[in-house]
Amino acid sequence: MEQKVVNKGIGWGGNTLKEMLDKKKQLWSDTGCYYGLQELSLSASAPFKLELLHARLLAAVIAGRETTRMISAAPQVREVAELAVALYTPEGDCLLQSTGIIIHITLMGQVVEWMIEQGYEEEGINDGDCFTSNDNAISGLHPPDVYDITPIFWEGELIGWVGTVIMELEIGAVVPGCMPSGATDRFSEGLRLSAEKSAENDKHLKSFERRIRFGSRTPDLLLLNRKGALAANVKVREEVKKAVAEFGIDYYMGATRELVELERRAQLERVKRRTVPGKFHSPTTIEVDLTRTIAPPTHAIGRVTLIPCDFHIKPDGRYFLDFDGTGAWGWHAANTTPSAIQGAVSMILTQTIAYTGNANQGTSLAVDMNVPYDSFVWPSTPNFASGWLFSWPLSGGVKWMTQQSHAFFCRGFVEEFRSGVTTSSGVFGAMTGKDHLGNDFNFLSTEAAGCWGGGAFATRDGVTASAAFMPNVDMGSVEIWELMLPTLWLGRKLLPDSCGWGRYRSGYSALSTFLIYKTPLLAFDTSATFLEDKIYPNIGMFGGYPSQGAFSKLITNANTKELISQEKPLAHGMGNPDQSDLEKNIDGDLTVVTRGGIFVDSLAKDGDVYQCFYGAIASGVGDPIKRDPALARKDLDNGLLGIERCRSMHCIEAKYDQETEEWAVDEGATAELREKRSKERLAKGIPAKEWWEKRRQHLAEGRLPRLLKVMYNESLTKGQRWPGEFRRFWNLPETFTFKED
Amino acid sequence: MSKISYSKEVIRDLIEGKLPWSQTKSIISGYKDEDRFDKYVEVLQEKVAWQEKILLPLTHELYIVQKGSDRIVKCSCGQEFGDYRVNWKLNALIHVRESEEEVKELYPYPSAPDAEFCEIREFYCPGCGTQLWVETVPFGYPLVFDFLPDLDTFYAEWLKRPLPSQKEFTDLTCDFIAQNWAE
């Protein structure tokens, strides 16, 4: 038990929060154990008592999350449930978490730590306060993810914090939505709430409410979400107080620290039992194209940035991520930060290896990183645009998750292997103009959030709806979205032939088709999550491919009213890919958009039709021609696979039986096709040495796109280790760089 | 609590994707079996026609095996790829999808990677023509060494049974290129 001192700080035992934070860090540095706990006396003496407390607190944060959903009016919260609630120690370390957008769990704690370092205690932290933050220079993933954080006091001393994160769909940025393609610095991304006090005595400050009212295009939704978050925080805080009253404050404080240290040790042990030590590697490339949006001319460029990443599993079970060789940060929304990467680490570990319900700060303490300052992964300005900070976390991070899966596979835990869906280029529809009620209107439709086809498993196909950042996925009811948007859904369907091909294929993503409804003017921003349009993510595993990326189509001046009056067909999905229903049935001017992060050139109005394939890129696993014909037949029967690609990708011959309305596999023809394909591969594949000589020649002569030369030069200039590896692989001079045209 | 353990038949069906989902789900949700690695290797060893001892399965088709005093990568068909510390892709056949037609085969809809920027590299086993891996990386990126296991740490410290001889845990790929490919 900690000795109490004469009251001078608001923290437990009369310590200041800064003293508690410093002490925690010192003890960690001295002992390598959380809070210096080398003996775990509470769990050793009465493990079930500790478990009981943990379960009580866990139930509180889960109930808190549901409370918010009942109060909010935003479909993003009520339907899609993009929120999460977590409990923290006084120093900001996560103790436990609800389900939801758990990438933010560690990050809300980092806001608490920042507040302590900034001296908020001297300015005043009181029971009933709430602090609100969406400032990603402090911590976070992007501005629409708003954190509401409430202190928990017991007998006048601060014993913890509760935080709720909600994703907002409009935050008053330079263009509508919440992660606009054209925002290139923080000043064009709307409301900036830098952990400011938003409530006292559990009631929002009028000044805060006025700031929101004048700072967003949908203030009612934003404010009601704040009320929901505050309600969740109050609910959890009161439940914590009840637990403290029952268990005693000394037990509670000791238990919170033991729970973190227990989890840290458990994580190391899990790694040793389920993986194989060693080194993994993969590059990630993130593209930016600001030439077709509203970015200022000084920022309106296209670029590609390289993020090579080594992932080590160390002999002691620790993970180490090394970002050496990462390229430069820039004035665009797709940089990332150490904080965002830490969020990804916590999120991915919680779902893949630390899924016991006990994941907390201890899980993350078992991970080290080398994140170079003044690079794409750590910009050297607090004013970087932050709309897509999850660039590496949701692409490279997902690859990292797949690498961990590879380690599970090598160890024999094939059932735990899951390849990734990167979320890259998984476009949303940010809209601006007039809504169906005649109001000026700006919104981001996120019906697809988390509902992309997932990566394949080692022994089965990927699931239909999946995303690393949203474990419990939900597209929401169309009827609720239609209340908010000037669009009527004509259909939601899976897109045939769009999977990541493999022995086990990835899941299929959805295609939505909308009739534009009662608006005279509507513009679309294909507000991507981030771009991997030219270079698909390197996520194929064991011979499988990455899946189809996103695209959208808009038909303006459409003749839908005429078609409806004549009771003729519209379009509800893709139909025949070679001549889609959209193009076959509806006359008008067609615009096809194959890139995220741009404004669609044409403006839409009532009666026009917009179709969007939310294709995040997911991995297939294994050689596609080793696919079990029975699985392919199932896909044929379900209309997910066309016979042409069944033959070309899987080398499976099948015939459709008109009577039974089912496909039948021709085993003999299939065997022939497969044998023929193997021979073709042997004939067309060239020895690696031959390829290496040819490609080296290309590089030495600078025969590659200028954007890639700039990309490589940034990494060759900035890196310490990676540049040597690149040059040695290609047998290039020690000082080699590309000449930029 | 007694230790969890599954029969070899269950592990075999699990690996081959033949185990009923209810059983697979129960294995996912349950405590992990401590003897998994040994049973896994035993099942895989029975599946291959060659005799070298499997030290570590790498993919559906590739294994690190003990061959004399060497540790090499070997395909299920018997094709050998050399020292496990040299990226096995250096001894594979490569095909890069460069034409629009070849890219379109994979991606039939309007969006697709740009072959000028993105190399879709397919790696085939020279012995059996199996597609062992696909890379989608920026044009000119070195072959990706996906995983170099620290085998001695794994066997000595984690499994508590050291391998007969030690090998330095180091990536030898660039040494191989310098010695064999560079003029």
Side-chain angles (χ1 to χ4, degrees):
Chain A
M1 181 186 138
E2 220 163 82
Q3 195 173 5
K4 296 211 174 190
V5 297
V6 179
N7 264 359
K8 59 187 178 94
I10 63 168
W12 189 50
N15 297 292
T16 67
L17 297 180
K18 183 71 167 66
E19 284 169 346
M20 293 177 77
L21 181 63
D22 289 345
K23 183 179 175 186
K24 182 204 76 168
K25 288 180 177 172
Q26 189 62 49
L27 287 168
W28 168 251
S29 165
D30 291 347
T31 65
C33 298
Y34 183 71
Y35 240 100
L37 288 177
Q38 288 166 312
E39 303 293 329
L40 301 174
S41 57
L42 299 182
S43 65
S45 61
F48 286 106
K49 184 178 176 184
L50 190 62
E51 188 58 33
L52 184 63
L53 174 65
H54 181 265
R56 286 271 296 273
L57 299 174
L58 189 58
V61 295
I62 291 168
R65 179 169 180 264
E66 294 310 308
T67 302
T68 308
R69 291 184 70 186
M70 296 301 105
I71 292 169
S72 169
Q76 184 70 3
V77 176
R78 291 189 79 92
E79 296 287 304
V80 181
E82 278 219 42
L83 75 161
V85 181
L87 181 63
Y88 299 87
T89 68
E91 303 87 357
D93 294 322
C94 167
L95 192 56
L96 41 82
Q97 55 189 282
S98 75
T99 52
I101 42 175
I102 57 176
I103 195 168
H104 300 278
I105 299 300
T106 309
L107 310 189
M108 286 194 279
Q110 290 177 350
V111 174
V112 169
E113 185 175 337
W114 182 86
M115 287 164 58
I116 295 170
E117 296 284 6
Q118 289 286 310
Y120 273 42
E121 186 172 356
E122 292 161 25
E123 297 168 33
I125 300 173
N126 300 302
D127 203 359
D129 285 351
C130 184
F131 298 87
T132 302
S133 188
N134 73 339
D135 188 337
N136 302 135
I138 299 172
S139 181
L141 260 301
H142 61 164
D145 291 321
V146 180
Y147 301 167
D148 289 289
I149 301 168
T150 297
I152 303 172
F153 283 86
W154 177 259
E155 293 179 350
E157 293 179 348
L158 191 150
I159 59 165
W161 304 80
V162 51
T164 296
V165 52
I166 294 177
M167 182 176 171
E168 303 294 339
L169 299 184
E170 216 305 311
I171 51 155
V174 63
V175 286
C178 56
M179 40 193 212
S181 61
T184 56
D185 62 23
R186 187 57 183 87
F187 304 111
S188 48
E189 290 186 318
L191 275 166
R192 187 171 192 171
L193 306 164
S194 303
E196 68 181 57
K197 189 176 282 191
S198 55
E200 287 177 349
N201 299 314
D202 297 335
K203 197 172 175 187
H204 281 114
L205 300 170
K206 290 292 175 197
S207 57
F208 178 76
E209 290 187 349
R210 277 192 292 273
R211 192 150 129 69
I212 298 293
R213 191 144 302 279
F214 293 120
S216 166
R217 298 175 180 94
T218 56
D220 292 340
L221 295 181
L222 193 51
L223 275 172
L224 203 50
N225 279 350
R226 301 283 72 66
K227 306 286 179 198
L230 191 56
N233 289 0
V234 170
K235 184 176 182 66
V236 174
R237 183 188 70 201
E238 295 309 309
E239 289 299 321
V240 168
K241 285 183 183 175
K242 279 186 205 166
V244 171
E246 185 178 327
F247 286 81
I249 184 62
D250 291 337
Y251 183 87
Y252 176 85
M253 293 304 289
T256 56
R257 292 167 183 174
E258 276 204 19
L259 285 169
V260 175
E261 175 60 12
L262 268 172
E263 170 57 18
R264 187 189 72 81
R265 294 183 191 185
Q267 171 61 15
L268 295 175
E269 195 58 29
R270 281 190 293 259
V271 169
K272 286 188 196 173
R273 288 175 187 227
R274 291 199 200 166
T275 73
V276 175
K279 187 183 87 165
F280 299 80
H281 177 81
S282 183
T284 298
T285 46
I286 302 292
E287 299 158 32
V288 170
D289 182 1
L290 293 170
T291 59
R292 287 179 62 191
T293 184
I294 60 150
T298 45
H299 297 162
I301 60 168
R303 56 181 292 155
V304 185
T305 306
L306 178 65
I307 309 149
C309 182
D310 278 355
F311 163 41
H312 299 256
I313 301 180
K314 297 285 191 183
D316 62 0
R318 298 178 72 78
Y319 285 175
F320 176 62
L321 291 167
D322 187 354
F323 293 92
D324 183 79
T326 295
W329 68 272
W331 292 110
H332 55 74
N335 303 290
T336 191
T337 59
S339 152
I341 295 169
Q342 283 157 2
V345 164
S346 152
M347 168 189 76
I348 287 168
L349 294 182
T350 300
Q351 294 177 67
T352 56
I353 189 167
Y355 48 74
T356 56
N358 295 323
N360 60 29
Q361 199 74 31
T363 323
S364 302
L365 285 173
V367 181
D368 298 319
M369 295 182 209
N370 169 38
V371 186
Y373 180 64
D374 191 26
S375 75
F376 186 90
V377 290
W378 193 351
S380 54
T381 169
N383 296 320
F384 55 86
S386 47
W388 308 339
L389 282 185
F390 38 67
S391 54
W392 187 88
L394 292 187
S395 180
V398 164
K399 175 68 187 183
W400 168 59
M401 178 188 87
T402 308
Q403 289 168 329
Q404 181 189 241
S405 283
H406 193 172
F408 296 155
F409 179 91
C410 293
R411 188 67 182 261
F413 294 108
V414 295
E415 75 277 15
E416 297 290 342
F417 177 105
R418 176 196 171 190
S419 67
V421 48
T422 63
T423 319
S424 54
S425 307
V427 297
F428 295 120
M431 306 176 195
T432 183
K434 290 279 186 189
D435 72 8
H436 49 309
L437 304 172
N439 303 315
D440 286 321
F441 163 82
N442 305 276
F443 212 64
L444 178 77
S445 164
T446 58
E447 65 157 344
C451 292
W452 296 288
F457 300 83
T459 58
R460 57 195 169 100
D461 291 342
V463 295
T464 300
S466 172
F469 71 88
M470 192 73 182
N472 38 351
V473 296
D474 194 333
M475 293 180 89
S477 302
V478 158
E479 291 75 14
I480 301 296
W481 283 108
E482 286 178 343
L483 292 173
M484 308 294 302
L485 305 174
T487 54
L488 299 178
W489 267 252
L490 293 176
R492 274 176 175 171
K493 301 222 173 190
L494 300 177
L495 185 65
D497 292 342
S498 65
C499 65
W501 306 104
R503 176 174 166 184
Y504 300 102
R505 60 155 175 80
S506 70
Y508 281 88
S509 292
L511 173 92
S512 281
T513 309
F514 311 90
L515 182 66
I516 311 301
Y517 177 63
K518 283 192 177 176
T519 173
L521 183 68
L522 193 64
F524 290 94
D525 177 358
T526 62
S527 186
T529 44
F530 50 93
L531 301 184
E532 289 179 310
D533 287 353
K534 291 178 191 296
I535 305 169
Y536 271 26
N538 181 41
I539 54 166
M541 292 296 286
F542 303 173
Y545 297 91
S547 66
Q548 171 78 53
F551 63 88
S552 51
K553 294 179 177 179
L554 174 65
I555 294 194
T556 51
N557 301 315
N559 65 335
T560 51
K561 286 184 192 304
E562 190 185 319
L563 293 171
I564 291 167
S565 67
Q566 295 169 3
E567 297 186 4
K568 287 187 174 170
L570 296 170
H572 307 283
M574 177 54 65
N576 180 351
D578 295 329
Q579 194 196 8
S580 72
D581 286 351
L582 193 74
E583 290 149 85
K584 186 176 69 180
N585 297 342
I586 302 171
D587 286 338
D589 303 318
L590 175 69
T591 305
V592 179
V593 183
T594 58
R595 288 189 68 73
I598 62 171
F599 266 98
V600 178
D601 291 336
S602 311
L603 293 172
K605 63 178 186 306
D606 182 55
D608 291 341
V609 179
Y610 184 62
Q611 189 172 63
C612 185
F613 173 55
Y614 300 117
I617 299 174
S619 166
V621 173
D623 185 349
I625 71 165
K626 298 212 167 184
R627 184 164 178 75
D628 180 350
L631 291 175
R633 201 195 79 165
K634 201 171 151 193
D635 285 345
L636 285 166
D637 285 342
N638 287 331
L640 293 174
L641 176 65
I643 185 62
E644 190 184 322
R645 275 181 179 70
C646 181
R647 291 187 189 115
S648 66
M649 295 312 306
H650 299 308
C651 295
I652 292 173
E653 185 56 80
K655 288 190 175 60
Y656 187 66
D657 185 329
Q658 298 285 357
E659 282 188 19
T660 61
E661 297 184 340
E662 286 181 344
W663 288 85
V665 172
D666 181 334
E667 289 179 11
T670 297
E672 279 177 29
L673 279 176
R674 290 184 165 182
E675 193 182 340
K676 186 172 166 230
R677 178 62 55 84
S678 297
K679 286 178 181 163
E680 284 168 3
R681 286 172 175 174
L682 293 173
K684 73 179 177 184
I686 59 172
K689 180 172 187 276
E690 201 177 309
W691 168 85
W692 179 86
E693 286 168 343
K694 189 171 133 192
R695 192 62 78 240
R696 184 181 179 280
Q697 190 75 14
H698 284 139
L699 298 181
E701 293 172 2
R703 287 159 56 193
L704 66 167
R706 183 181 175 279
L707 285 183
L708 291 188
K709 292 181 193 175
V710 175
M711 176 196 84
Y712 278 125
N713 281 349
E714 281 179 2
S715 287
L716 288 168
T717 310
K718 281 188 165 290
Q720 303 291 316
R721 170 188 48 75
W722 182 85
E725 292 175 358
F726 179 87
R727 292 175 181 127
R728 278 200 303 280
F729 180 89
W730 291 115
N731 192 35
L732 292 167
E734 283 180 14
T735 55
F736 174 85
T737 54
F738 291 95
K739 284 183 187 160
E740 294 171 23
D741 310 322
Chain B
M1 193 182 74
S2 61
K3 284 186 178 174
I4 303 288
S5 183
Y6 301 105
S7 69
K8 260 171 64 178
E9 288 68 36
V10 167
I11 300 297
R12 181 180 298 115
D13 286 351
L14 180 69
I15 295 169
E16 293 174 356
K18 292 178 182 166
L19 201 64
W21 169 242
S22 58
Q23 268 182 282
T24 305
K25 172 71 173 60
S26 138
I27 291 174
I28 291 171
S29 302
Y31 289 99
K32 292 301 178 196
D33 36 328
E34 289 184 20
D35 60 354
R36 173 71 66 91
F37 182 70
D38 290 339
K39 281 198 179 142
Y40 180 51
V41 170
E42 218 175 304
V43 168
L44 294 171
Q45 195 83 56
E46 286 171 8
K47 282 178 71 177
V48 294
W50 31 264
Q51 298 303 312
E52 288 88 353
K53 182 176 167 41
I54 294 172
L55 298 178
L56 194 74
L58 276 181
T59 71
H60 283 148
E61 307 292 341
L62 295 177
Y63 305 86
I64 297 175
V65 302
Q66 185 79 47
K67 183 170 186 178
S69 60
D70 296 329
R71 299 172 192 167
I72 62 165
V73 175
K74 196 170 174 107
C75 181
S76 53
C77 74
Q79 177 73 26
E80 295 180 354
F81 291 80
D83 192 310
Y84 78 106
R85 294 168 298 173
V86 175
N87 190 350
W88 60 264
K89 291 173 182 168
L90 268 60
N91 289 301
L93 296 175
I94 301 183
H95 173 69
V96 180
R97 286 189 184 242
E98 288 172 334
S99 70
E100 194 182 329
E101 189 188 358
E102 276 189 309
V103 175
K104 197 82 181 163
E105 185 182 29
L106 302 175
Y107 305 108
Y109 296 105
S111 304
D114 182 338
E116 204 184 345
F117 282 77
C118 179
E119 282 192 80
I120 305 174
R121 300 173 185 159
E122 298 172 345
F123 297 89
Y124 309 139
C125 171
C128 61
T130 296
Q131 183 162 293
L132 298 170
W133 206 280
V134 173
E135 288 183 0
T136 42
V137 292
F139 184 94
Y141 199 82
L143 295 183
V144 177
F145 198 169
D146 299 283
F147 180 38
L148 171 62
D150 182 355
L151 278 184
D152 287 302
T153 294
F154 177 55
Y155 272 88
E157 295 181 31
W158 290 18
L159 298 181
K160 308 289 182 197
R161 48 170 200 266
L163 291 168
S165 59
Q166 302 268 303
K167 303 272 184 195
E168 188 187 358
F169 172 54
T170 184
D171 181 350
L172 298 176
T173 304
C174 290
D175 297 316
F176 177 92
I177 289 172
Q179 288 160 19
N180 298 284
W181 290 4
E183 295 296 324

